[in-house]
Amino acid sequence: MAIFKGAGVAIVTPMKENLEINYDKLDEMLEEQIAGGTDAIIICGTTGESATMTEAEHSEAIRFTVERVNHRIPVIAGTGSNCTRTAVELSKEAEKDGADGLLLVTPYYNKATQNGLIAHYTQICREVKLPAILYNVPSRTGCNIQPKTLAQLVKNVDNIVGVKEASGNIGAVAQIMHLCDGNIDLYSGNDDQVVPLLSLGGIGVISVLSNVAPAYVHDMVYRYLSGDVEGSCKMQLDALPMCDALFCEVNPIPVKAALNLMGKEVGPLRAPLTEIEPAHREQLEKAMKDFGLL
């Protein structure tokens, strides 16, 4: 059984002006996401600035989210690392604290071989019982999970159940679904490719756009899953300018700017990320107005 179907939000981490995590604001955001129809919360992912969190902050953010969500929808903890030992410890802590699943990004910077990826993921997932979604985003990590590698992992490691595919390579996604015989939960990792991945057997998206438009992304996925392919496709195409604006600079710079423009007061970014540049801010504001967010 899938951890979730539909739209999971890759939620931002709100910060105070002193760059501490703003848990009061995170609490508000979680409630808004649930009220907006989001199907799962993904905490401490790339969009949540996990790369600049200490291990203690990482675990506390997951623990807080699990407690506040309180089983209303699944909570998926981003516990991947370029250090296998660290990923194991974060994953065990997330399991202890009640997360419903794990999101495990490929080990960045190290650029593991395919055999290294098999060893990395196998070791992590044999230390926990939680279902795991592997996260393939080679543009950020410099490391690509090849379809054959993913199929081998799914076949041999029982709790590897899904993949968040953000390679942008539709042909590779088709190969994944072919080699896995459909026995994998496929989630789009790109907001501009949700419908194409659904057409290949996907069951949802782990979305940045859901931070600002949770109901929209949920409805787009469920229209497709309920048979309204034409309606879902129109929503996908209508959202493209907004998706482009949310990635006009490296994520999560634009989405945090968007939330602040909406009055959500999610605060600043941790270095080395910087505030959005003026020209991109104009692009973002225009897209938000056209999309009905401002």
Side-chain angles (χ1 to χ4, degrees):
M1 183 177 177
I3 304 173
F4 79 97
K5 289 185 178 182
V9 63
I11 200 162
V12 307
T13 301
M15 302 286 182
K16 299 176 183 178
E17 288 304 314
N18 64 3
L19 295 177
E20 292 178 357
I21 296 174
N22 187 338
Y23 285 104
D24 289 339
K25 182 59 63 175
L26 179 57
D27 197 8
E28 288 179 24
M29 293 170 61
L30 294 170
E31 293 303 322
E32 289 175 358
Q33 286 292 324
I34 293 170
T38 287
D39 299 289
I41 303 291
I42 293 80
I43 186 73
C44 293
T46 303
T47 311
E49 299 178 74
S50 58
T52 57
M53 289 183 180
T54 66
E55 289 181 34
E57 286 177 318
H58 202 123
S59 293
E60 180 56 30
I62 292 167
R63 188 179 307 115
F64 179 90
T65 301
V66 169
E67 290 174 356
R68 289 300 192 273
V69 172
N70 194 26
H71 306 292
R72 287 176 287 174
I73 58 175
V75 172
I76 299 169
T79 56
S81 173
N82 68 326
C83 173
T84 304
R85 180 177 57 189
T86 300
V88 167
E89 292 307 313
L90 288 172
S91 298
K92 289 167 72 173
E93 190 75 15
E95 182 172 53
K96 184 182 74 174
D97 290 333
D100 297 287
L102 305 175
L103 181 68
L104 300 171
V105 71
T106 50
Y108 40 87
Y109 187 77
N110 305 52
K111 297 181 71 172
T113 65
Q114 296 302 300
N115 283 337
L117 289 175
I118 290 169
H120 173 78
Y121 282 125
T122 299
Q123 184 175 341
I124 297 166
C125 291
R126 286 185 174 165
E127 292 281 349
V128 294
K129 296 180 181 178
L130 286 178
I133 299 169
L134 308 191
Y135 180 16
N136 192 36
V137 57
S139 65
R140 292 193 77 122
T141 66
C143 184
N144 182 54
I145 309 175
Q146 294 177 7
K148 288 182 179 179
T149 301
L150 187 56
Q152 184 173 338
L153 282 163
V154 168
K155 179 180 179 181
N156 293 317
V157 185
D158 290 343
N159 53 334
I160 294 178
V161 300
V163 61
K164 177 185 176 183
E165 241 299 331
S167 68
N169 186 337
I170 299 297
V173 175
Q175 279 292 324
I176 288 169
M177 299 307 281
H178 169 66
L179 293 173
C180 293
D181 295 321
N183 294 321
I184 188 169
D185 296 331
L186 171 66
Y187 300 97
S188 176
N190 294 324
D191 282 304
D192 61 352
Q193 293 184 343
V194 180
V195 170
L197 265 67
L198 292 174
S199 75
L200 291 170
I203 60 172
V205 59
I206 295 177
S207 170
V208 175
L209 179 59
S210 285
N211 279 281
V212 296
Y216 188 98
V217 184
H218 168 89
D219 290 348
M220 178 174 65
V221 174
Y222 270 90
R223 280 194 180 194
Y224 190 97
L225 296 178
S226 64
D228 183 9
V229 174
E230 184 177 354
S232 178
C233 185
K234 183 179 187 307
M235 292 182 76
Q236 174 76 92
L237 296 176
D238 288 348
L240 287 181
M242 190 66 228
C243 294
D244 289 343
L246 286 176
F247 290 90
C248 65
E249 290 186 27
V250 68
N251 179 51
I253 291 173
V255 71
K256 268 201 157 177
L259 287 163
N260 284 328
L261 285 167
M262 294 169 71
K264 302 296 185 183
E265 299 179 353
V266 298
L269 300 130
R270 286 182 173 177
L273 298 183
T274 53
E275 297 303 319
I276 194 166
E277 296 176 7
H280 290 144
R281 183 184 176 94
E282 290 181 12
Q283 177 188 351
L284 180 63
E285 287 185 2
K286 183 181 185 304
M288 291 176 72
K289 288 175 181 175
D290 292 345
F291 200 61
L293 295 174
L294 292 178

